[in-house]
Coordinates of all heavy atoms in Angstrom, one line a residue:
A125 N 14.3 72.4 165.5 CA 14.5 73.9 165.8 C 15.9 74.4 165.3 O 16.0 75.5 164.8 CB 14.3 74.1 167.4
D128 N 15.8 74.7 161.5 CA 15.0 75.9 161.0 C 15.7 77.2 161.4 O 15.6 78.1 160.5 CB 13.6 75.8 161.6 CG 12.7 74.8 160.9 OD1 13.2 74.0 160.1 OD2 11.4 74.8 161.3
A129 N 16.2 77.3 162.6 CA 16.9 78.6 162.9 C 18.1 78.8 162.0 O 18.3 80.0 161.7 CB 17.3 78.4 164.4
A130 N 18.9 77.7 161.7 CA 20.1 78.0 160.9 C 19.6 78.4 159.4 O 20.3 79.2 158.9 CB 20.8 76.7 160.8
L132 N 16.8 80.0 158.6 CA 16.3 81.3 158.6 C 17.4 82.4 158.8 O 17.4 83.4 158.1 CB 15.3 81.5 159.9 CG 14.0 80.7 159.8 CD1 13.3 80.8 161.1 CD2 13.1 81.4 158.7
V133 N 18.4 82.1 159.6 CA 19.5 83.0 159.7 C 20.2 83.1 158.5 O 20.6 84.2 158.1 CB 20.4 82.6 161.0 CG1 21.6 83.5 161.0 CG2 19.6 82.7 162.3
T149 N 18.0 92.4 167.4 CA 16.6 92.1 167.4 C 16.2 91.2 166.2 O 15.4 90.1 166.5 CB 15.7 93.3 167.5 OG1 16.1 94.2 168.4 CG2 14.2 92.8 167.8
S150 N 16.8 91.3 165.1 CA 16.5 90.4 163.9 C 17.0 89.1 164.3 O 16.3 88.1 164.0 CB 17.3 91.0 162.7 OG 16.8 92.2 162.4
L151 N 18.2 88.9 164.8 CA 18.7 87.5 165.2 C 17.8 86.9 166.3 O 17.6 85.7 166.2 CB 20.1 87.6 165.7 CG 21.2 87.7 164.7 CD1 22.6 87.9 165.4 CD2 21.3 86.4 163.9
G152 N 17.3 87.7 167.2 CA 16.4 87.2 168.2 C 15.2 86.7 167.6 O 14.6 85.7 168.1
L153 N 14.6 87.4 166.7 CA 13.4 87.0 166.0 C 13.6 85.7 165.2 O 12.7 84.7 165.3 CB 12.9 88.1 165.1 CG 11.6 87.7 164.2 CD1 10.5 87.5 165.0 CD2 11.4 88.7 163.1
L154 N 14.7 85.6 164.4 CA 15.0 84.3 163.6 C 15.2 83.2 164.6 O 14.7 82.2 164.3 CB 16.2 84.7 162.8 CG 16.0 85.7 161.8 CD1 17.4 86.0 161.0 CD2 15.0 85.4 160.7
A155 N 15.9 83.4 165.7 CA 16.1 82.3 166.6 C 14.7 81.9 167.2 O 14.5 80.6 167.4 CB 17.1 82.7 167.7
S156 N 13.9 82.7 167.7 CA 12.7 82.5 168.3 C 11.7 81.8 167.3 O 10.9 80.9 167.8 CB 12.0 83.8 168.8 OG 12.9 84.4 169.7
G157 N 11.8 82.2 166.0 CA 11.0 81.5 165.0 C 11.3 80.0 164.9 O 10.4 79.2 164.7
G158 N 12.5 79.7 165.1 CA 13.0 78.3 165.0 C 12.4 77.5 166.1 O 12.2 76.2 166.0
L159 N 11.9 78.0 167.2 CA 11.4 77.2 168.5 C 10.1 76.7 168.1 O 9.5 75.9 168.8 CB 11.4 78.2 169.6 CG 12.7 78.7 170.1 CD1 12.4 79.3 171.5 CD2 13.8 77.7 170.2
I160 N 9.4 77.1 167.0 CA 8.1 76.6 166.7 C 8.1 75.2 166.1 O 7.3 74.4 166.2 CB 7.4 77.6 165.6 CG1 7.2 79.1 166.2 CG2 6.1 77.1 165.2 CD1 6.7 80.0 165.2
L199 N 4.9 86.1 168.2 CA 6.1 86.8 167.5 C 5.6 88.0 166.7 O 6.3 89.0 166.7 CB 6.8 85.7 166.7 CG 7.5 84.6 167.4 CD1 8.3 83.8 166.4 CD2 8.6 85.1 168.5
S380 N 11.4 73.8 174.5 CA 11.8 74.6 173.4 C 12.3 76.0 173.7 O 13.4 76.5 173.2 CB 10.6 74.6 172.4 OG 10.2 73.4 172.0
L383 N 15.9 76.2 174.6 CA 16.9 76.2 173.4 C 17.5 77.5 173.2 O 18.4 77.6 172.4 CB 16.2 75.7 172.1 CG 15.8 74.1 172.2 CD1 14.9 73.8 170.9 CD2 16.9 73.2 172.4
I384 N 17.0 78.6 173.7 CA 17.5 80.0 173.5 C 17.9 80.6 174.8 O 18.2 81.9 174.9 CB 16.5 80.9 172.8 CG1 15.2 81.0 173.6 CG2 16.2 80.4 171.4 CD1 14.2 82.1 173.0
V391 N 20.0 76.4 170.0 CA 19.6 77.4 168.9 C 20.4 78.7 169.2 O 20.8 79.3 168.2 CB 18.1 77.6 169.0 CG1 17.7 78.8 168.0 CG2 17.4 76.4 168.5
L392 N 20.5 79.1 170.4 CA 21.3 80.3 170.8 C 22.7 80.2 170.2 O 23.1 81.1 169.5 CB 21.3 80.5 172.3 CG 22.1 81.7 172.8 CD1 21.6 83.0 172.3 CD2 22.1 81.7 174.3
I395 N 22.7 80.4 166.2 CA 22.5 81.8 165.7 C 23.8 82.6 165.9 O 24.1 83.4 165.1 CB 21.3 82.5 166.2 CG1 21.4 82.8 167.7 CG2 20.0 81.7 165.9 CD1 20.4 83.8 168.1
A406 N 23.4 88.4 171.2 CA 22.2 87.7 170.8 C 21.2 87.6 172.0 O 20.0 87.7 171.7 CB 22.6 86.2 170.5
L410 N 17.1 88.7 171.9 CA 16.2 87.5 172.3 C 15.3 87.9 173.4 O 14.1 87.3 173.5 CB 17.0 86.2 172.6 CG 17.4 85.4 171.5 CD1 18.4 84.4 172.0 CD2 16.2 84.7 170.9
F413 N 11.4 88.4 173.0 CA 10.7 87.2 172.5 C 10.7 86.1 173.6 O 9.8 85.3 173.8 CB 11.4 86.7 171.2 CG 11.6 87.7 170.1 CD1 12.7 88.3 169.9 CD2 10.4 88.1 169.5 CE1 12.9 89.3 168.9 CE2 10.6 89.0 168.5 CZ 11.7 89.7 168.2
Y417 N 7.2 84.5 175.1 CA 7.1 83.1 175.1 C 6.8 82.6 176.6 O 6.0 81.7 176.8 CB 8.4 82.4 174.6 CG 8.4 82.1 173.1 CD1 9.6 81.9 172.4 CD2 7.1 82.2 172.4 CE1 9.6 81.8 171.0 CE2 7.2 82.0 171.0 CZ 8.4 81.8 170.3 OH 8.4 81.5 169.0

Side-chain angles (χ1 to χ4, degrees):
D128 283 10
L132 289 169
V133 173
T149 311
S150 297
L151 277 176
L153 174 66
L154 296 172
S156 303
L159 301 192
I160 300 175
L199 295 182
S380 298
L383 295 174
I384 57 172
V391 171
L392 175 62
I395 65 163
L410 273 167
F413 307 102
Y417 273 158

